[in-house]
Amino acid sequence: MSIQLNQNDSDSDKSELDRFDQLMSDDVICISDSSDFSDDDAQPSICNDLPQPELPFPDGTVKLTHMSGENKSNDCVTLTDVVQPDKLRKALLTTFVLDMEWLKPHFRAHTKLVIVQSYNPNVEPQGVLQSSDGLTTIVNPEFAGVKYPIMHSKIMLLFYDTYVRFVASSANLIEIDWTVMQNAVFIQDISFDGSQIFECTQFGSTLAQALRDLSVPDPVVKQLDHMDMSRVRVHVVTSVPTSRARTTYHASAYGMARLAQITRQMRRESAVLREINPAETDVYCYGSSMGKLSSAYLRDFYCCALGMTWGEISRHTRHTFSSQDAERCVKVGFHTNDQGNSNKFGPISRMCIKCKMDMFTGTNFPSSSLHKIEPAVPRTLVHAKLVLMRTGAERRHGWMYLGSHNFTPGAWGWLNRQQTSLTYVNNYEFGVVIPDVCYETVFGRDSITWRGAKIPLPFELAWTRYKETDVPCFSD
C-alpha cells in the first residue's frame, strides 16, 4: 500500500483503516518498524568537543523560495536545493498542506520519510500510519478538544552521513509555496554522529519538546541526542493547542508567552536590548493570514515582544501604555485588495492570502495599525510569516522571528487575564527567533544583517500606512 493523504481527506479505504485500528494502543497507532531512525546497538559515548565536519551552513542562514520565472540568486532556494536528495538518508517533515504526488519526486525512492500533517480528526484517526514498504510514515497529531484543528508547523530534519539539516519555514509541502508564493526559510546544518551523545542545549531541549508535542515517534526524537547543537544561536518558539492536560501543563512555554520568555532572555544576554526604551521600539508583524485583532491584543503582543509588562513599559515611558500606543508601536503588514487582484499569478496566489471582511469591519479592529507592504518581487504575494523588532533612536538593533505563525490569536494565543504567564492557543506552530540582528541602510535601501551576513526579505522594509481607500486582501 502506498499512502496518499491530503490536508483534510484520507484516500485509504475502509479495509486499510480497519487494519490500522487493530494496531491501536491507547488510541494511538504504533509504528511497526522505525529501525532506520533507531540507535545502533553500540553504546554511544558522551562527547562535548569533536572536530566539526565541513558544513554548508554551519552558523545558520535565511533564504527565500525561488519564484517561477525569476532569475535565481544566491538568496533563493528550491525544495531540491534544501533537500539535497542525492545525499539524503532519511527525513522528518511537517506541513499544514501536503501534496504527496508533487513531493515524492523530490526524494529518492528508497529514502525514509516521516511526515507530520494537519488532518480532519472527524474523518481520519489520530496516530501513525505507515506504508506497507515501511518507507513513508504519516503522523496525525493529537487534536482532542480543539474546535478548529490546525497543525500549521513547517519543520524539516534532513539526515545526511555527517550532519543534519534543520529547517524552519513558512512553506507547505505543495508546489505553489515553492514556486508562486514567496516564503522564508531558515537553514542550519548541525554535526551528527550516531556513536556519540552530545551535551544537551536549550535549543535541543525545546526542539525535542516541540517534536514530542507533535506526536513525532520517539526513535526520531532520540536522534537529537547525536547532534552537536553548540553552534546554534536561534531560539525555538512553538504553539500547541492548550485545551488538553497534555499541553496546559506547559502553557507558559507556547505562543506569545514563549516569545516573552525568549525576549527576556535576550535582554539579559544583550547590552543593547538590556536598556531597551519602549518609546524607541517598533514591532513589525507580517503574515499571509490576519485574524481577529484588537488594540488590547496588540498591546499584549508588544509587551511580549519586548519582554516587559505593561507596568514596566509605562514606567519607562512615564505614562500609562494605552491602546493608541499599541496601534502606533505595532505595525501590521498585510496585502491590500488591489495587490491581491493585480498579482501576476492570479487566483492561485490570491487564495493563499486570508482575511475575513467581518474582522476588518468590526468595531474593535485596530485599522490604524495596518500597513501596505511592497513585495521584493513586483506583482507577487508574500506567504512568509515574519516579526521584526526594531529598537534604538535609529531603530538599528533588534531581533527577527521566522516561521509558521501568522499574526493571528489562533497562532500566537491569547494571554490568560487571570494568570498572564499562560496562553490559550488553537494551532500547532513552529518558528525561530534570530537574536541580535542589525538593521542597516546600504546604497539607500534598508537591509538586515546577522552575524555579518545579509538576511534577504520578501518585502521592502519601508512599510506605508493604509490609505483611506485601501482595504485588506479579503478571502472569498
Side-chain angles (χ1 to χ4, degrees), residues 1 76 91 95 138 212 215 240 261 291 295 340 369 423 433 455 460:
M1 181 196 70
C76 296
T95 185
I138 301 292
R212 291 191 174 99
S215 306
V240 174
Q261 291 178 348
S295 297
S369 66
T423 55
V433 173
I455 294 180
E460 303 294 336

Side-chain angles (χ1 to χ4, degrees), residues 124-139:
E124 302 174 47
Q126 174 195 331
V128 179
L129 315 177
Q130 191 172 65
S131 61
S132 57
D133 60 10
L135 292 176
T136 302
T137 301
I138 301 292
V139 179

Side-chain angles (χ1 to χ4, degrees), residues 4-54:
Q4 296 287 331
L5 293 178
N6 295 321
Q7 174 189 349
N8 293 317
D9 302 298
S10 172
D11 294 334
S12 303
D13 58 27
K14 187 177 186 301
S15 63
E16 291 294 347
L17 288 178
D18 290 342
R19 183 172 71 82
F20 285 129
D21 286 341
Q22 294 173 4
L23 299 175
M24 275 186 147
S25 173
D26 297 328
D27 296 324
V28 176
I29 302 167
C30 299
I31 290 182
S32 58
D33 178 19
S34 54
S35 57
D36 196 40
F37 271 101
S38 300
D39 298 330
D40 295 331
D41 293 335
Q43 291 296 318
S45 59
I46 303 296
C47 181
N48 296 323
D49 187 17
L50 278 181
Q52 296 276 354
E54 190 167 338

Side-chain angles (χ1 to χ4, degrees), residues 139-318:
V139 179
N140 292 341
E142 175 191 349
F143 273 139
V146 178
K147 186 176 181 181
Y148 303 105
I150 297 175
M151 200 302 296
H152 202 244
S153 303
K154 287 95 172 174
I155 311 167
M156 296 185 193
L157 289 179
L158 306 169
F159 290 81
Y160 308 96
D161 287 338
T162 59
Y163 67 96
V164 175
R165 173 160 289 180
F166 164 76
V167 180
S169 80
S170 55
N172 290 292
L173 298 178
I174 58 175
E175 184 175 8
I176 62 173
D177 276 21
W178 292 88
T179 58
V180 171
M181 306 293 295
Q182 187 114 83
N183 282 283
V185 185
F186 177 83
I187 304 171
Q188 182 153 5
D189 296 326
I190 302 170
S191 298
F192 178 87
D193 186 339
S195 67
Q196 307 289 342
I197 292 180
F198 291 93
E199 183 177 357
C200 183
T201 66
Q202 182 187 74
F203 174 82
S205 62
T206 53
L207 177 58
Q209 180 62 53
L211 299 183
R212 291 191 174 99
D213 284 335
L214 287 168
S215 306
V216 171
D218 199 52
V220 182
V221 181
K222 285 184 177 296
Q223 297 301 294
L224 302 185
D225 294 340
H226 306 298
M227 297 167 58
D228 181 4
M229 304 186 191
S230 59
R231 295 179 70 165
V232 180
R233 294 292 178 266
V234 298
H235 303 272
V236 169
V237 54
T238 65
S239 291
V240 174
T242 52
S243 60
R244 298 289 290 175
R246 178 176 74 89
T247 53
T248 52
Y249 181 77
H250 306 286
S252 62
Y254 299 130
M256 68 165 75
R258 169 61 182 157
L259 180 63
Q261 291 178 348
I262 294 170
T263 52
R264 282 183 177 273
Q265 178 182 339
M266 289 191 295
R267 288 180 60 204
R268 290 193 298 269
E269 297 172 349
S270 168
V272 173
L273 297 182
R274 192 177 303 127
E275 304 301 325
I276 191 169
N277 181 355
E280 297 177 345
T281 304
D282 295 320
V283 179
Y284 295 74
C285 307
Y286 177 80
S288 60
S289 294
M290 183 165 57
K292 190 174 183 179
L293 304 178
S294 66
S295 297
Y297 187 80
L298 297 187
R299 183 172 64 175
D300 287 346
F301 192 87
Y302 185 73
C303 290
C304 293
L306 270 63
M308 304 173 75
T309 66
W310 305 334
E312 289 172 329
I313 292 178
S314 296
R315 285 194 292 274
H316 273 80
T317 57
R318 298 185 179 179

